[in-house]
Amino acid sequence: MPLFAINLFIFVLANMNMPGTSNFVGELLILVGIGYKGFVLCLFAAIGSAIGALCTIWFWNRLMFGELKINNIKKFEDINRREIVILLPLIIFNFSVGIFTNEFIDTCYNSIYFLFSFLVDDSTSSLQYIALMSLLGTQQNNKEGKHLRTAVMW
């Protein structure tokens, strides 16, 4: 079952937050957002991510190279063309989100900014405002009063 093993390994790498996959981008954004609350909380989240990666490696190793104790599993065949056609768009989408991150973030930028505009009011301190806007990757332009998107290339 080499095709199944290769496809599963691609998704296992994505689950382990490998750079270039969509999960890496999401995990990095979460850790940056948690980092504004405190270093200890961010450290615990990073340790949890590392433990999750170790469990994923253990899962894949046990599934691919472990002993088969159930005889019914030996009857299964490798994935066919139909299943490859189903899995290929998922793999392409997974890597495209990881590689072209800014394009996907830019599409949801306005709706996120609109959501955060309700969270930030006059009682919000400037430090909280800076933290919320840095999560969005924006800077306040004092001359024109517009928010400019800073491109972050990974």
Side-chain angles (χ1 to χ4, degrees):
M1 294 178 35
L3 291 177
F4 174 74
I6 291 169
N7 282 306
L8 182 64
F9 187 67
I10 290 171
F11 289 114
V12 162
L13 287 178
N15 190 33
M16 293 179 354
N17 304 324
M18 287 298 267
T21 62
S22 61
N23 292 8
F24 175 74
V25 174
E27 188 76 26
L28 187 65
L29 290 174
I30 289 170
L31 288 176
V32 168
I34 292 174
Y36 284 108
K37 283 296 196 184
F39 177 74
V40 176
L41 192 59
C42 184
L43 186 66
F44 280 127
I47 289 171
S49 178
I51 290 172
L54 290 175
C55 290
T56 304
I57 291 171
W58 177 76
F59 156 75
W60 189 82
N61 187 23
R62 186 138 180 198
L63 187 65
M64 290 296 111
F65 302 115
E67 292 289 327
L68 290 178
K69 296 179 182 176
I70 301 172
N71 290 330
N72 294 335
I73 295 177
K74 294 179 181 179
K75 297 178 186 176
F76 287 115
E77 298 175 3
D78 203 5
I79 59 177
N80 55 23
R81 287 185 188 159
R82 182 186 63 190
E83 293 165 341
I84 291 173
V85 169
I86 292 170
L87 289 174
L88 195 60
L90 295 174
I91 293 171
I92 291 171
F93 181 73
N94 187 12
F95 284 113
S96 64
V97 171
I99 294 170
F100 305 110
T101 305
N102 284 335
E103 284 77 10
F104 286 95
I105 291 177
D106 287 341
T107 58
C108 61
Y109 173 74
N110 290 331
S111 60
I112 292 173
Y113 179 75
F114 184 70
L115 175 68
F116 275 119
S117 67
F118 287 110
L119 297 175
V120 177
D121 56 0
D122 294 335
S123 64
T124 306
S125 69
S126 61
L127 185 60
Q128 290 173 333
Y129 179 76
I130 291 171
L132 286 173
M133 290 301 114
S134 63
L135 287 175
L136 292 173
T138 60
Q139 291 179 339
Q140 178 69 29
N141 186 352
N142 293 332
K143 294 179 183 176
E144 299 176 8
K146 295 181 180 177
H147 287 85
L148 300 175
R149 176 83 171 94
T150 59
V152 179
M153 299 302 290
W154 301 105

